[in-house]
């Protein structure tokens, strides 16, 4: 199955991706070295400095509550809504994953995890450049290089390419899994609490 690729379409600030984190880790552990796993940034919300509307804040908080009920063990820190000024903008966090990977491939997942931990557990705002730079330094990235790369044309082009790839794979929201084998794409259904359900589809 070495020629087979499993695409993981996600966004670092997607709350359902956070809920999927533990199950996804178990899936990857089982698939180690059996196929290629490629992360694809879907780009949930474009760059914006506009403060999030009350309606959107309410919608997202209700979504967090739904995820907590649907996926036992998933936690959210609701202090975020008191301590931060929310913006409906996830592209900066997406570019942060790209900028991290540019320094070393291993930093892609490390940065995504750092963003999720900061956002959902530590009530920090990954829509803010200052937050992303602080996280980059905390995980051992070259802070100056990261700062230059975060909003570079290279990062913006790569994000556009990822978004185009996600669309071409006909992904169904975030997170999505698409298996490509012998040029044929297969959408993998996700069970947020059952890694075996996902693995059975991959190996069928």
């Amino acid at each position: 199955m070495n020629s087979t690729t499993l695409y993981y379409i996600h966004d670092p600030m997607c709350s359902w991706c956070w809920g999927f984190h533990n199950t996804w880790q178990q899936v990857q552990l089982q698939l180690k070295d059996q196929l290629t796993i490629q992360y694809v940034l879907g780009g949930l919300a474009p760059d914006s400095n506009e403060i999030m509307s009350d309606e959107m804040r309410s919608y997202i908080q209700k979504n967090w509550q739904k995820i907590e009920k649907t996926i036992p063990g998933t936690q959210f820190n609701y202090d975020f809504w008191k301590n931060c000024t929310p913006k409906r903008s996830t592209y900066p966090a997406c570019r942060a994953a790209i900028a991290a990977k540019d320094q070393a491939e291993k930093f892609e997942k490390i940065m995504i995890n750092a963003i999720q931990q900061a956002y959902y557990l530590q009530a920090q705002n990954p829509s803010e450049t200052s937050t992303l730079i602080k996280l980059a330094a905390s995980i051992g990235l070259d802070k100056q290089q990261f700062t230059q790369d975060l909003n570079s044309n290279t990062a913006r082009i790569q994000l556009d390419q990822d978004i185009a790839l996600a669309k071409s794979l006909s992904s169904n929201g975030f997170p999505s899994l698409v298996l490509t084998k012998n040029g044929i794409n297969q959408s993998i259904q996700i069970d947020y609490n059952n890694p075996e359900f996902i693995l059975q589809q991959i190996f069928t």
Side-chain angles (χ1 to χ4, degrees):
M1 294 184 68
N2 288 336
S3 62
T4 304
T5 299
L6 179 64
Y7 293 98
Y8 173 56
I9 298 99
H10 72 107
D11 187 295
M13 292 180 67
C14 160
S15 50
W16 283 100
C17 295
W18 169 240
F20 186 48
H21 176 81
N22 289 336
T23 295
W24 175 229
Q25 295 304 309
Q26 294 177 57
V27 169
Q28 291 181 89
L29 194 61
Q30 293 293 323
L31 293 176
K32 188 176 182 181
D33 300 327
Q34 297 190 61
L35 48 71
T36 299
I37 296 175
Q38 182 174 333
Y39 278 57
V40 181
L41 292 156
L44 186 60
D47 292 297
S48 174
N49 284 318
E50 288 188 20
I51 297 173
M52 193 181 294
S53 68
D54 290 341
E55 291 79 8
M56 180 60 72
R57 295 186 199 207
S58 176
Y59 170 80
I60 294 176
Q61 289 179 69
K62 288 178 181 177
N63 210 31
W64 287 10
Q65 293 166 359
K66 181 179 179 180
I67 293 168
E68 288 172 333
K69 293 177 181 178
T70 305
I71 312 170
T74 305
Q75 296 181 335
F76 294 93
N77 186 343
Y78 290 84
D79 285 345
F80 172 83
W81 303 100
K82 295 184 292 184
N83 299 344
C84 299
T85 302
K87 300 175 184 176
R88 187 61 172 163
S89 181
T90 71
Y91 279 23
C94 291
R95 289 194 299 271
I98 293 169
K101 185 179 180 180
D102 283 346
Q103 291 196 29
E105 190 166 345
K106 68 177 182 179
F107 282 118
E108 178 183 31
K109 293 181 184 178
I110 296 172
M111 174 55 85
I112 292 166
N113 186 58
I115 290 169
Q116 291 177 326
Q117 294 273 337
Y119 182 23
Y120 296 117
L121 298 181
Q122 300 162 11
Q124 299 182 45
N125 192 350
S127 294
E128 301 289 354
T129 297
S130 57
T131 300
L132 297 169
I133 292 172
K134 182 172 67 175
L135 292 175
S138 74
I139 65 173
L141 290 171
D142 182 312
K143 182 178 177 179
Q144 183 176 357
Q145 186 64 50
F146 178 86
T147 302
Q148 292 176 356
D149 293 343
L150 180 58
N151 293 306
S152 67
N153 285 334
T154 300
R156 292 176 184 276
I157 291 170
Q158 182 60 58
L159 178 54
D160 287 343
Q161 291 174 345
D162 270 34
I163 292 171
L165 176 57
K167 290 179 179 177
S168 73
L169 292 169
S170 300
S171 62
N172 184 24
F174 311 131
S176 287
L177 292 171
V178 177
L179 186 71
T180 299
K181 186 176 182 181
N182 299 324
I184 299 174
N185 294 336
Q186 175 191 352
S187 179
I188 303 297
Q189 295 181 38
I190 288 177
D191 185 320
Y192 288 92
N193 299 299
N194 187 358
E196 291 302 322
F197 175 76
I198 296 170
L199 290 164
Q200 285 172 4
Q201 296 174 75
I202 293 170
F203 289 114
T204 298

